[in-house]
């Protein structure tokens, strides 16, 4: 079974600083997808960034980037120049093509002004 | 597109009552997922459909829970009878198996069973 582990229940960052959220996963598959979702207090699940496992290049979306280490089964999210609006729960997720998505337990990110 | 639409946004019901949650997926998406979110258990997949057919319902807690997808644009999750431990946020999500793989979520239904 595929599992996703987020070992940091809570993280805190100073506004304008950089923070990295950790995620590891367990799988025997070679073709899969990884995602980071953000859930603000409004509870809406918002896709932040995605990574295809067959791509070696790390995905980047503006201030958000990932460090994808396939051999280590690690998928961390780096948020640069943190903003107050980045405060939210962040979920790492794993998905096989055409199958369901599995989520980690989440990391609550606090941004201090 | 309006995105995934769930109704109601909030539901408060008494223990023992039947509760029906509704979901309209994004047009053209052929996968639909029901998740439950609680503080204790996080996001749990309850069931998912492909082309209106249930594929995996192993996450459904017990026989009190049932889900249907009568057509490509509508799905329901029913709890009968409801219990206080069913209190949670229930999310519906949809995705396309061909165009992409991420799931698009509705805004969720917060269910409170008293």
């Amino acid at each position: 079974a595929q599992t996703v582990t987020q070992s940091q229940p809570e993280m805190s960052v100073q506004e304008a600083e950089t923070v990295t959220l950790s995620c590891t996963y367990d799988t025997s598959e070679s073709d899969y997808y990884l995602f980071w979702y953000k859930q603000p207090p409004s509870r809406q699940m918002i896709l932040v960034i995605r990574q295809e496992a067959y791509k070696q290049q790390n995905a980047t979306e503006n201030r958000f980037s990932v460090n994808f280490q396939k051999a280590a089964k690690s998928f961390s999210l780096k948020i640069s120049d943190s903003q107050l609006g980045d405060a939210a729960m962040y979920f790492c997720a794993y998905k096989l093509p055409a199958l369901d998505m599995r989520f980690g337990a989440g990391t609550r990110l606090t941004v201090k002004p | 597109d309006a995105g995934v639409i769930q109704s109601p946004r909030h539901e408060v019901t008494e223990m023992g009552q039947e509760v029906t949650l509704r979901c309209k997926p994004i047009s053209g998406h052929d996968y639909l997922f029901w998740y439950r979110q609680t503080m204790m258990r996080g996001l749990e997949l309850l069931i998912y459909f492909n082309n209106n057919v249930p594929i995996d319902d192993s996450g459904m807690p017990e026989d009190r829970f049932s889900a249907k997808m009568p057509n490509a644009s509508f799905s329901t999750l029913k709890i009968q009878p409801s219990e206080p431990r069913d209190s949670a946020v229930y999310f519906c999500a949809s995705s396309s198996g061909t165009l992409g793989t991420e799931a698009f979520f509705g805004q969720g239904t917060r269910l409170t069973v008293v």
Side-chain angles (χ1 to χ4, degrees), chain A residues 93-104:
Chain A
Y94 164 98
K95 186 176 186 297
L96 289 171
L99 289 179
D100 61 280
M101 185 175 289
R102 301 286 171 163
F103 288 85

Side-chain angles (χ1 to χ4, degrees), chain A:
Chain A
Q2 291 80 27
T3 58
V4 180
T5 302
Q6 293 179 249
S7 59
Q8 307 153 317
E10 296 184 354
M11 289 285 285
S12 179
V13 64
Q14 203 71 34
E15 193 176 7
E17 297 295 310
T18 296
V19 64
T20 299
L21 309 183
S22 301
C23 174
T24 58
Y25 56 95
D26 181 28
T27 185
S28 57
E29 303 290 335
S30 60
D31 185 17
Y32 51 87
Y33 298 82
L34 297 164
F35 306 87
W36 280 97
Y37 278 84
K38 169 184 177 181
Q39 186 180 40
S42 67
R43 81 170 180 246
Q44 178 71 51
M45 293 287 284
I46 302 166
L47 179 68
V48 174
I49 198 165
R50 56 176 280 175
Q51 174 82 41
E52 292 88 347
Y54 63 84
K55 290 187 177 179
Q56 292 185 335
Q57 186 173 7
N58 289 324
T60 299
E61 289 288 342
N62 301 314
R63 297 182 296 107
F64 298 87
S65 61
V66 300
N67 183 6
F68 173 49
Q69 301 290 327
K70 191 171 184 179
K73 297 178 183 176
S74 171
F75 182 62
S76 60
L77 174 69
K78 185 172 82 171
I79 305 174
S80 303
D81 185 26
S82 297
Q83 300 175 359
L84 295 178
D86 296 334
M89 282 289 289
Y90 286 82
F91 292 96
C92 177
Y94 164 98
K95 186 176 186 297
L96 289 171
L99 289 179
D100 61 280
M101 185 175 289
R102 301 286 171 163
F103 288 85
T107 296
R108 182 174 301 279
L109 177 65
T110 302
V111 181
K112 297 180 179 178

Side-chain angles (χ1 to χ4, degrees), chain B residues 59-103:
Chain B
M60 296 285 263
E62 48 198 272
D63 292 345
R64 298 185 297 107
F65 286 70
S66 63
K68 294 181 180 179
M69 192 166 186
N71 57 62
S73 59
F74 184 65
S75 177
T76 59
L77 178 67
K78 184 178 293 186
I79 309 173
Q80 165 65 17
S82 59
E83 297 182 3
R85 60 192 169 120
D86 301 331
S87 298
V89 178
Y90 291 82
F91 284 100
C92 175
S94 70
S95 72
S96 169
T98 54
L99 296 178
T101 58
E102 63 260 39

